[in-house]
Amino acid sequence: MATPKGFMLYHSDLHAIESLPGEDFKLVVLALLSLSENGERNAPQGAAGMAFTFMADKLARDMERYDAICLKNSEKGRKSAAKRDNSKPRSNSG
């Protein structure tokens, strides 16, 4: 699994986090960063935990899409490299 360099925070998530106190907001963001960086799903407690759960599900889907794109691009790169190697003229040295 490739590790993305960050994650998306969507406008649609605003309703889940706009009413959180500052410390709870911080806990949600730190938990999302941890999930994005190393896959650890450490949900905070209370309202922050609910907000995290909604947002973490989206993040997990985004990470799956990212992995699929990375795999697809890797396969394209291998095919392109193989095609280039096959199209090079071969010299008969011997």
Side-chain angles (χ1 to χ4, degrees):
M1 175 157 110
T3 303
K5 295 181 181 179
F7 66 94
M8 294 292 296
L9 187 59
Y10 296 97
H11 291 133
S12 61
D13 294 325
L14 179 62
H15 70 277
I17 59 174
E18 67 186 344
S19 62
L20 291 175
E23 187 60 29
D24 284 348
F25 177 82
K26 177 182 173 183
L27 290 173
V28 169
V29 172
L30 290 174
L32 289 168
L33 284 166
S34 178
L35 177 60
S36 173
E37 187 173 33
N38 54 36
E40 292 180 12
R41 195 176 182 114
N42 300 321
Q45 299 296 312
M50 275 184 34
F52 169 79
T53 300
F54 294 134
M55 296 168 73
D57 289 342
K58 288 180 188 178
L59 178 57
R61 284 191 300 271
D62 288 349
M63 290 170 68
E64 287 175 14
R65 267 189 242 124
Y66 180 80
D67 285 341
I69 290 168
C70 288
L71 180 61
K72 185 177 176 181
N73 288 343
S74 178
E75 290 171 0
K76 284 181 182 179
R78 274 195 293 275
K79 287 179 182 178
S80 177
K83 189 175 181 180
R84 280 191 308 269
D85 288 345
N86 289 335
S87 67
K88 288 182 182 176
R90 298 176 191 236
S91 63
N92 288 337
S93 57

